[in-house]
Each structure stands twice: as structure tokens, then as C-alpha cells.
């Protein structure tokens, strides 16, 4: 099985893998404390395939990671009143509210629903957008790969950008940290606290945000 042939179950599990990607520290500490937990997956180097837990006879991920609930529908973005004295073009993340605000100016902002860090993985800080990528590749850092290798397992060096990639359609990189504002191939998880620190939007919303946010823009994350 090739990377492009990864099954839906595997794609969902790749997204779950990335949910453990970030850390509990502030953005400036994130690069050296990745805190990655491979849990119960396995990687087959011969086929370049991630084998999901169900194929190993182990427990599956929670039901919310297996597919959208019957009543799921996306939370639409909307223009709202916004009186925070931040310059237009700023990105303000309110993790408690599970909303991201793109400041339009003149007392207005565009509000998006987001997925945020689960309990114990919350963080707050101020930084800037350092890079933007369309259909970003996933390249786990060496520290993460070494950590996984110590368990007797392997982690792929590279997962190509595309619908199988847990980063989704776009990624906005926050400073020099491992945190990102990115899309997802599990849109039904948006609006929940289920990541390890990264900010997750639906692919439709992250594409819209991507066209608006400039490299160098201010990012403020509040709990």
C-alpha cells in the first residue's frame, strides 16, 4: 500500500497522531519539549504505511475520531463586533471560547470556530506568523522520531501534503514553535478541545483565513 492509498481508517488515525504533536509549554519552549506520544499505532517501513490500532487488535480511538456524528454540521464563520484594541490583520485565539478572531478593524472581526488543546495541553502567548503553506507536508522533527525509535517503533520521515495529511489544506506557522493554525481531515472535531495545543479549523475556513493573514501578523493566544 502506498501513501496515496492509505485507507480512511489510517487517515483518521494519522490525524489522531498529530493531535499529540504539540506540548504543554509556552510557544518559545515548544521546539525542545515536543511531548509526542505514539500510543498504539505501528509504522511499516516496507510499505510506508501507518497501521491503525484496529488492524493490530488493539483499542480503537474514541468514537469522535472515527467519523462525524449523525447531527454534525460545520460552525459558520461570521463578522462580529470586536472592541479589543489590536491592529487590523491580527489573529486572536480565545481557547476558552474555542473561537479565532481575525481583526478587520473599525470594531469588527471575522470569527471562526476552532479546535483547541485538551485539558492539560492549554497554552497562552504572543508571537507572529512566521510562514504559510498550502497543503503542507508533515515532517516530524528528529527529536520526535528519536523518541519513537526508543520505543522500538518507527515514524515516517515525511507525509506528503494532501487529503491524507493531518495538517489539512493550509498551515500558518506560529513563530519558531511547533504550534500551527491548520486545517484538518476531521472537520467534526472543530469546536472541541481535543488537540495537544495546535489550533484546528475546517479546511474551508483555514483556506479563507490563509488568504487574509500575512506573514509577520501578530498572533495572541488567550485561555
Amino acid at each position: 500500500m502506498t501513501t496515496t492509498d492509505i485507507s480512511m481508517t489510517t487517515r483518521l488515525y494519522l490525524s489522531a497522531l498529530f493531535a499529540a504533536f504539540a506540548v504543554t509549554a509556552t510557544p518559545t519552549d515548544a521546539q525542545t519539549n515536543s511531548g509526542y506520544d505514539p500510543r498504539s499505532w505501528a509504522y511499516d517501513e516496507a510499505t510506508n504505511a501507518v497501521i491503525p490500532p484496529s488492524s493490530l487488535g488493539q483499542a480503537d480511538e474514541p468514537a469522535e475520531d472515527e467519523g462525524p456524528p449523525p447531527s454534525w454540521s460545520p460552525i459558520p464563520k461570521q463578522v462580529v463586533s470586536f472592541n479589543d484594541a489590536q491592529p487590523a490583520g491580527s489573529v486572536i485565539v480565545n481557547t476558552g471560547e474555542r473561537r479565532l478572531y481575525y481583526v478587520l478593524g473599525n470594531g469588527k472581526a471575522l470569527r471562526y470556530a476552532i479546535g483547541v488543546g485538551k485539558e492539560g495541553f492549554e497554552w497562552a502567548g504572543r508571537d507572529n506568523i512566521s510562514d504559510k503553506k498550502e497543503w503542507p507536508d508533515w515532517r516530524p522533527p528528529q527529536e520526535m522520531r528519536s523518541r519513537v525509535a526508543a520505543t522500538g517503533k518507527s515514524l515516517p520521515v515525511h507525509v506528503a501534503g494532501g487529503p491524507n495529511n493531518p495538517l489539512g489544506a493550509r498551515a500558518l506557522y506560529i513563530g519558531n514553535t511547533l504550534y500551527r493554525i491548520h486545517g484538518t481531515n476531521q472537520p467534526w472535531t472543530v469546536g472541541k478541545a481535543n488537540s495537544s495545543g495546535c489550533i484546528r479549523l475546517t479546511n474551508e475556513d483555514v483556506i479563507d483565513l490563509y488568504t487574509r493573514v500575512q506573514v509577520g501578523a501578530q498572533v495572541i493566544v488567550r485561555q
Side-chain angles (χ1 to χ4, degrees), residues 1 10 22 42 64-65 68-69 83 89 91 94 105 109 125 129 137 153 160 165 191:
M1 182 171 68
T10 302
E64 67 179 25
D65 289 332
N83 298 319
V91 175
N94 187 318
I129 296 297
D137 290 359
K153 301 178 181 179
N165 193 301

Side-chain angles (χ1 to χ4, degrees), residues 23-148:
V23 300
T24 60
T26 60
T28 54
D29 294 329
Q31 278 192 308
T32 56
N33 298 282
S34 59
Y36 184 78
D37 177 11
R39 296 178 290 181
S40 56
W41 61 273
Y43 175 64
D44 184 352
E45 293 182 352
T47 60
N48 190 33
V50 177
I51 302 172
S54 57
S55 299
L56 302 172
Q58 300 172 347
D60 288 325
E61 290 294 304
E64 67 179 25
D65 289 332
E66 295 175 356
S71 61
W72 176 81
S73 61
I75 303 169
K77 64 181 182 296
Q78 61 184 138
V79 175
V80 297
S81 296
F82 190 78
N83 298 319
D84 197 322
Q86 302 299 333
S90 296
V91 175
I92 313 298
V93 175
N94 187 318
T95 58
E97 189 182 346
R98 299 177 192 173
R99 295 294 185 270
L100 179 151
Y101 295 85
Y102 174 75
V103 181
L104 298 171
N106 299 317
K108 298 291 183 182
L110 191 55
R111 184 175 67 190
Y112 302 85
I114 56 173
V116 301
K118 57 191 173 184
E119 184 177 358
F121 290 83
E122 307 95 336
W123 63 280
R126 183 188 298 258
D127 214 315
N128 299 91
I129 296 297
S130 56
D131 199 4
K132 299 167 50 175
K133 292 185 180 179
E134 300 184 8
W135 293 106
D137 290 359
W138 180 34
R139 298 180 184 276
Q142 182 59 47
E143 177 191 347
M144 181 186 298
R145 296 184 64 241
S146 297
R147 190 185 189 97
V148 173

